[in-house]
Amino acid sequence: MAEPKENPLMEKIVSLCKRRGFIFQSSEIYGGINGFWDYGPLGAELKRNVKELWWNTMTRQRDDVVGLEATIIMHPHIWKASGHVDTFADMMRECPLTKKRVRADQVEEQSGTAISFVGCVSKQTLDSILVVLQPTEQDDAGRNALVKWATHIVTTESMPLEQQKALAEKIMSETKGDVKKAANVVLQMHVTQMLRDNSCREPFAVLLAAGKPPESARKIAAEFYGARGINEPILLGEQAAKVENSPDFHPESRVRLGDPRPFNLMYKTQNGPVESDENVVYLRPETAQAIFAQFKNVLDSSRVKVPFGIAQIGKAFRNEVTPRNFTFRSREFEQMELEFFIKPDEAVEAISGSVTSASQLATLDPQPNWGWEAWHKYWVEERIKFYEGIGLPRTTLVEYWQKPEELAHYARATVDILFKFPFSKRDAQGELMGEELEGIAARSDFDLSQHERFSGKPMGVFDEELRAAWGKLDDAKKAELAKRYHDARLKYFIKTGVEQAKAEKDAKEDADGLAKGQYIPHVIEPSAGVDRLILALICNAYYEDQMPDEKGKMETRVVMKFHPRVAPIKVAVLPLLKNKPDLVKKALMVRDLLRPHMNVFYDDGGAIGRRYRRQDEIGTPFCVTVDFDTLGEKPELLDTVTLRYRDDGKQDRVKISDLLPRLLEKIR
Ligand code: ATP
């Protein structure tokens, strides 16, 4: 379904982002570039906070996850192994006139009168034939007959050469030397060929809005066929038909779209000075593959063992067909991805005697008997907790479990965490349905297996615990687990195109390996987009409320209610007046006291109420005002300041010495 074109709330948010320096259009002074966005001073701070919070939560606060920072351009075989070269594509349709593309599933529906043509023939050709034939009938009738013949020709398949020859021989024998008859047939064939060579058989249609004359469609069609090399085209087979809510016409040109074709989303470039097919490389479309490619190096160089994870934050690039919804679908964006490697269920069962399924989970504290289902559920919960911890309430999120038919062939389960963006579609009850913020996929052992096959380097691990446990199993259990593992491996090999005999041999080897403590780890992948999260935080923070101004009169205030953890500026320090050196000195002292611990903004310009509003609008959760009481005008208030809270505008009197611990408690 097409999204609503206008969204007043989004318009306000986009405008605030520009006005206050959160997000700007990239290259704006040159008219911008579609799908690319820059973060201004406040956006850059917000983004940095979000990435740091993710990094700390996912790596530093855990014993079982380590980090990685890989290059954007990698060996192109990585993208062959991952499947991106062959299948990372969106179905798209192209306007044959303007060459503009749209995603096949996102074409806006349109109505009107479609004027269509089956093709065209060159006027010059038609004229030259008429000169030779010198029709005895009136000129127009001869011409019309010829146009009819041309229409027939462009709509029927041309005759293969062999058939033409056979036909010519047949004519010669049938006319038994009647030269006149034979000459007529040969002439007819010649004319046919001329028309064929100077016509275009591509059908074309354009949708006219109500009241527009067909002549405008003919003009556009002439432009289209002109671009196909037919000058002064005579349009053939014109028809008009009413069209209602059709997804077949380009929303801008209103020309009928071509058939859906896959369009690879990877940006290609050349590595090194020589332009050749061997030097083609890609800007990574996701950060995950580097983690798989470096899996062995990380394992061998760090004190980690399965289960453990590798986390990475970095840029990704996708040549999205239709970037839209502000930064939601960009062409350059950042991802925060974790690959969490776990033992295959057969290994868990051999070691622990059984595997806990998701429905039996009594605790979300990782346990040795957790299989992929439990780990997957654990990560879904961890990630939702993360979002709650930075100010996205659970009610703004949707946990969407992909249906079996939506899953990639290697995925066992995928949960998309959706955020209810203002531009999300609504369900029958009018509730926002949400758009993907993060996907959490149980990807089996597909990725490492692919890299093992394509690189020829082993990606398996040796698990001493498994080897020891296996020795203690009875034969029936050994056989059962080995068979299950064998069957899963065989399925993977067959699905990825390995020929049957080799697949069976390799699957057997893998099952034998399991008995010796070897396996390729499975993986759970929580994969989030930084930019989408920033947009979600901005949309979630935007409020308009009523607050009294300096004179107590109620006014509408725009306030960004960011969670203090992510807020770009944590505290603004404001001297009541800027022309009182003692006030300024004290305020600068407070600023310097706080600055090593948080992002502080010092503002001495304008009325205090206006300064509060400026901070509200950029989401600064606290304002500290230094006034005459701070200097001891009321002796009992010496060295105290006013601490103002953004959300309700309430104020506390706080000792300067208590300020830092008070604020730190709130922003950490
Ligand atoms: P979508 O279906 O919306 O195109 P996806 O399922 O292709 O997303 P993944 O490949 O799972 O996305 O990427 C993981 C995350 O990266 C997404 O959940 C999203 O947050 C982010 N992401 C993906 N594509 C884009 C994009 N074009 N712009 C911004 N963020 C993106």
Side-chain angles (χ1 to χ4, degrees), residues 84 88 90 103 265 285-286 316-318 320 323 327-337 402 416-417 435-440 525 527-533:
H84 284 81
F88 190 55
D90 275 344
R103 244 172 75 166
L265 301 183
E286 60 171 40
F317 303 81
R318 295 183 188 179
E320 298 280 0
T327 58
F328 179 82
R329 188 172 298 288
S330 307
R331 289 182 167 143
E332 176 175 339
F333 56 98
E334 260 182 296
Q335 289 185 312
M336 306 184 286
E337 296 196 294
Q402 286 192 8
D416 290 335
I417 298 179
E435 302 281 339
E436 181 179 329
L437 205 53
E438 166 160 359
I440 301 156
E525 177 191 81
S527 167
V530 183
D531 310 78
R532 283 191 189 175
L533 177 49

